[in-house]
Amino acid sequence: MHRFANPNRFLRLAAAIVPWSAAATVLLFGVGLTYALVLSPPDYQQSETVRIMYVHVPAAWMAMGAYAFLALASAVAIVWRHPLADLAAKACAPIGAGFTAIALVTGALWGQPTWGTWWVWDARLTSVLILLFLYLGYMALWNAFDDQSRGARAAGILALVGVVNLPIIKFSVDWWNTLHQPASITRIGTPAIHPAMLTPLLLMAAAYVAFFVTLLLLRTRAEIAARRVRTLQIAHSRGPAAAAMHEPGYS
Amino acid sequence: MSGLVTILRRDLALASRRGSEASLALLFFVLGTVLFPLGIGPDPNMLARAGAGLLWVMALLASLLSIEKLFQADWEDGSLDLLVLSGLPLAGIVLAKTAAHWLVTGLPMAIASPLLALLLNVDAKGVAALSLALLLGTPTLSLIGAVGAALTVGARRGGVLLTLLVLPLYIPVLIFGAGAAESAVAAQGARAHLLVLAAFLLAALPLCPWAAGAALRQSVE
């Protein structure tokens, strides 16, 4: 586990992955969006509004996936005192919050023509809104302490507490019989969704994953750089000799 | 065990000597509830419809208002360090302090709720369910709040932050708590809702003190 705690090794790894994942993001979004918005057929019931689904569903998946990563990284940071995991979790939170916001906004845009309302207090919608608040609380807690490592650990514990929300989101459509339709992609047995629609959906999901990986690596890199700058500033204020001594360190 | 009982009695003694602070939550609960008929109009039917939900929201806010101080005062005067160093299990310390918090805030609110429910014209069938739901739900609120309070010990703008952290986690309790009175009024029986509230409490009893204990440990490091 601590093999990857070395920031220089991580930076080399990130530098190797980022060009590929960025290229994959552009390519998959290009193909996926074209397929989803132009080539795929309109739904027999929802007509053209079904295309919102191709943006909405993968965003909702990634909102939960990013939170799972956030919680996992927080657990690693708490158990092994892994400094890079803390930074990765911090870098992950705004991305996850962004995905959650996209899911909520596109859901509202789709709900207006389909259900006739922008918002209902249904279990799925409410639990996703809670997810957004959890992300915001995590980010606020990180920045609420003068001592950064204190904020990191407090936020990590909050991330683990918030995991209870993930199964609630997942099963909300099964436990409560409300407006949001139940899961149809992972249904076992008869296919619930036609390949002409499943293919662009999966392409878009892959695009979102590649986008997430790229952003996460870039943001983690920025966090490492910011931490280095702070260390150098502290060292510099103690005199140039100390600064030279601290040059290779980062935390 | 005796150490934890000592903490519980200490917190209760502190609360009773500081009188006003302990009754603040109850006072907030009562006064806030009284504001609603003035704000949304005194129509008995509307109040009967909204009453249980209003009381639950007020209970949430009152619990939140008082939980902020759960560890803050001990942290400021240094007794939190002594508690952590005492060798008692941290989860036990949290549990004892949370129990004291519930005894001075949640329990009085549950006891006062039938009277307020009558003022809000809540149907008689719903009143018992409402009080029982508050009795089962407010300890869960105190436990969840304790996690938030432990996380924000020593934070800048801790109160606002605590609201952001804790209110989302309160929502399930609110939904089933208010649902209990509603289904009792609708003659469907509140049993299912009360059982879910009991399940929340049973899940929160071991998990929340554990998480709050972890948060406390890193706050005094």
Side-chain angles (χ1 to χ4, degrees), chain A residues 46-91:
Chain A
Q46 304 172 10
S47 68
E48 300 291 343
T49 54
V50 75
R51 301 188 194 283
I52 298 173
M53 175 191 79
Y54 301 116
V55 181
H56 171 72
V57 171
W61 285 345
M62 287 312 294
M64 294 173 68
Y67 195 89
F69 176 84
L70 176 74
L72 196 70
S74 300
V76 170
I78 288 172
V79 174
W80 286 288
R81 293 277 162 125
H82 194 300
L84 203 57
D86 259 339
L87 293 184
K90 188 190 184 192

Side-chain angles (χ1 to χ4, degrees), chain B residues 81-219:
Chain B
D81 294 297
L82 294 178
L83 283 176
V84 172
L85 288 175
S86 67
L88 295 168
L90 273 177
I93 295 173
V94 172
L95 201 58
K97 288 186 73 73
T98 311
H101 174 262
W102 179 71
L103 286 174
V104 296
T105 61
L107 185 60
M109 284 196 285
I111 293 171
S113 61
L115 184 66
L116 288 171
L118 287 178
L119 286 180
L120 291 177
N121 203 30
V122 175
D123 192 284
K125 279 175 290 187
V127 172
L130 176 70
S131 306
L132 209 53
L134 277 170
L135 213 52
L136 277 171
T138 46
T140 316
L141 298 183
S142 293
L143 285 163
I144 296 171
V147 179
L151 283 173
T152 52
V153 163
R156 281 177 266 125
R157 289 168 281 106
V160 185
L161 194 58
L162 186 66
T163 313
L164 180 62
L165 302 187
V166 168
L167 275 187
L169 299 172
Y170 274 180
I171 290 175
V173 182
L174 171 68
I175 291 173
F176 287 97
E182 207 164 292
S183 59
V185 171
Q188 291 168 333
R191 191 181 144 84
H193 287 87
L194 292 176
L195 285 177
V196 173
L197 282 177
F200 283 157
L201 179 56
L202 288 179
L205 260 178
L207 292 179
C208 288
W210 176 69
L216 278 188
R217 174 166 295 119
Q218 54 93 19
S219 79

Side-chain angles (χ1 to χ4, degrees), chain A residues 81 126 130 133-134 136-138 140-141 143-147 149-151 153-155 157-158 161-162 164 168 176, chain B residues 75 147 150-157 161 164-165 168-169 171-172 175-176 207 211-212 214-215 218-221:
Chain A
R81 293 277 162 125
T126 310
I130 295 175
F133 290 146
L134 282 173
L136 296 181
Y138 178 90
L141 197 56
N143 296 313
F145 295 92
D146 296 321
D147 174 10
S149 62
R150 171 81 231 271
R153 270 173 285 151
I157 294 172
L158 177 71
V161 171
V164 293
I168 295 181
W176 290 279
Chain B
W75 182 76
V147 179
L151 283 173
T152 52
V153 163
R156 281 177 266 125
R157 289 168 281 106
L161 194 58
L164 180 62
L165 302 187
L169 299 172
I171 290 175
I175 291 173
F176 287 97
L207 292 179
Q218 54 93 19
S219 79
V220 295
E221 264 176 14

